[in-house]
Amino acid sequence: MGVSADSQFIPGRKVIMKLRIILVILALVFTSRVPQCNAEDRVLFAFDDHSIPWRHNLKVTLVEADKHPDNPILRRGPQGAPDHGHAILYGTVFKEGDTFRMWYLGMMQTKIEKGQAPGYWRPMCYAESKDGVHWTKPELGLVKFNGNKKNNICRIDGPVHSMTLVNDFLSVLYDAEDPDPSRRYKVAYIAHMPYDEIKGGMSQIGVKEKRICSTICATSADGLSWTVVGDRPANAGGERFEVSSLYRFGDFYYSTGQLLSPWTWRPDGSRTGRNVLAFRSADFKTWSPASAHAYSRPGQLTNPPVDGEQMHMGMGLWNRGNVMVGLHGMWQNAVTKPEKGEHWNKGVRIDLGLVVSNDGVHFREPVPNFKVIARGETGAWDDKALLQGHAFVNDGENTMIWYSHWDTDGKVKNMEIGLATLRRDGFGYLSPQESDNDAEFITDFFEVAQNGKVYLNISGVTADAPLTVELLDHRAQPIPGYSAQMTTSGLQVPVPWSQDVIANPKRALRVRYPVGSPAHVYAVYLSE
């Protein structure tokens, strides 16, 4: 058989095998660096005192996120664009496949009128990115604006026109478990509707307004073209409500947001500033008028309350399966009241703090008043007030968090979107309080899957100063054969037990620090 002149450049079997081995090694090295935890893994965060309630000689240290040097990473559009006035993350970011998807609130005008966008419409705009930093605004071709459809406005159809006009916070949820593909994407947003256009009316509680802050729900097959659910707001028949989140936790869909007196009050009936309330629905069609008190800042509940301390626009939330984490607006009134003719909230300042919930209803601050993202120094683009979104993604070694700036002077200055990052799941860590003493923590009981794995997100451990990890039984006693030492730092370090785990509905974990340990434990992952 003849051989072509090019055949000498075709590698032989031995060369191919060597190349394959090299590729496998490279793949193993790469995957060892990138965490492989699944969305179904149970996460026990260091700052979560319900998941890790038992502690000896340990303290929680929360971590402030690092702002991206290129902030703001998504800017307002040119004149004539639907987001020329502002582009703010009263919205959502999540990663779908290899694409980051963002839904945000645009405003075409550069001025507000009486505290509102002219026409009570700030369109739902859409952007995409491959890295979460550099964003494109695709021409969706769905909504006619300025004489053409070359824009990134999402389409919303509904039986009442005012229900389709987004004017405040929009929270997008991807609901993979919904059997109806046309309902896989869900959104809740605020529309300011005329009272006489609300079927079912509103309650007699509070003050009657010309336009009601209405909670509108809609569904979509692709997240771009939406259909309003029903013919009336979710809060029809109830009180006005400034919805700012949407998530599914357990058997219910939840929406949380802010309300203040006279529509809500403290437990004893006294007046209050902005609180977080939670509403729920079993089917995303009918929402109960009964609400739960979800969160207030500590100073709001003291007697007397801390002057000017409130929370703002509920919470931007991240559902981690067994726990909800997120950011809330730490509102503080202006030091001096705005003068006549000045914007009503001039001088208000807002930073973003951490909240956590284990039931999806009741939230708390792990360390009150800690600023995960603080507003910038005077003169920075984000120096006045910050806005949180539902915008958290674990990507590689980082947790990415997007946020916005709000110009409380009412001039719509620098109202754009920024990015902040943490070590992956690195909101905070447990470390010894006194260095000359040992330390330990014991988790709450959890269910162990057959051959389940346990991982730690840790730093500062060495062969000379390891952590000891033990599996405990239903009486919190060590189980023989399940004690191991952690000598390697990393984002997802497996506990090297000598035998496979046997399924059991009630187990716990004990982690021991030796005297002088410099270790930081950020999270424990329980995987199937």
Side-chain angles (χ1 to χ4, degrees), residues 342-407:
E342 292 183 320
H343 199 251
W344 68 274
N345 59 355
K346 181 180 179 180
V348 168
R349 295 295 180 257
I350 303 174
D351 303 288
L352 301 181
L354 185 66
V355 290
V356 59
S357 173
N358 301 89
D359 63 4
V361 179
H362 304 97
F363 290 80
R364 63 193 184 280
E365 281 185 285
V367 178
N369 296 324
F370 180 86
K371 302 170 185 177
V372 176
I373 305 178
R375 57 191 174 85
E377 298 293 333
T378 302
W381 76 278
D382 58 354
D383 63 350
K384 290 186 173 63
L386 304 187
L387 305 176
Q388 72 279 9
H390 306 281
F392 305 83
V393 173
N394 271 345
D395 190 56
E397 298 181 355
N398 296 314
T399 291
M400 307 175 76
I401 309 170
W402 295 264
Y403 70 100
S404 287
H405 178 242
W406 177 25
D407 181 7

Side-chain angles (χ1 to χ4, degrees), residues 40-102:
E40 297 79 16
D41 293 346
R42 186 179 179 89
V43 186
L44 312 182
F45 284 106
F47 56 79
D48 179 1
D49 61 352
H50 288 199
S51 293
I52 306 178
W54 307 101
R55 306 173 184 185
H56 166 59
N57 190 33
L58 290 173
K59 62 182 178 182
V60 173
T61 301
L62 296 186
V63 178
E64 185 174 344
D66 296 318
K67 296 180 180 179
H68 197 278
D70 294 338
N71 277 347
I73 50 91
L74 190 139
R75 299 175 180 269
R76 66 191 184 99
Q79 187 171 1
D83 58 358
H84 176 57
H86 71 51
I88 59 171
L89 199 66
Y90 262 4
T92 302
V93 178
F94 56 72
K95 192 175 184 182
E96 195 171 332
D98 63 351
T99 301
F100 293 85
R101 305 187 70 186
M102 176 189 290

Side-chain angles (χ1 to χ4, degrees), residues 231-282:
D231 62 356
R232 64 197 66 193
N235 61 327
E239 291 76 65
R240 75 185 302 279
F241 183 59
E242 296 179 74
V243 63
S244 61
S245 72
L246 174 67
Y247 53 95
R248 185 172 182 173
F249 197 86
D251 295 328
F252 290 94
Y253 297 96
Y254 292 93
S255 67
T256 66
Q258 73 177 23
L259 205 55
L260 73 168
S261 295
W263 294 276
T264 190
W265 42 84
R266 301 205 304 172
D268 62 0
S270 57
R271 294 179 65 88
T272 181
R274 293 164 178 81
N275 292 317
V276 184
L277 302 182
F279 290 84
R280 67 180 181 176
S281 170

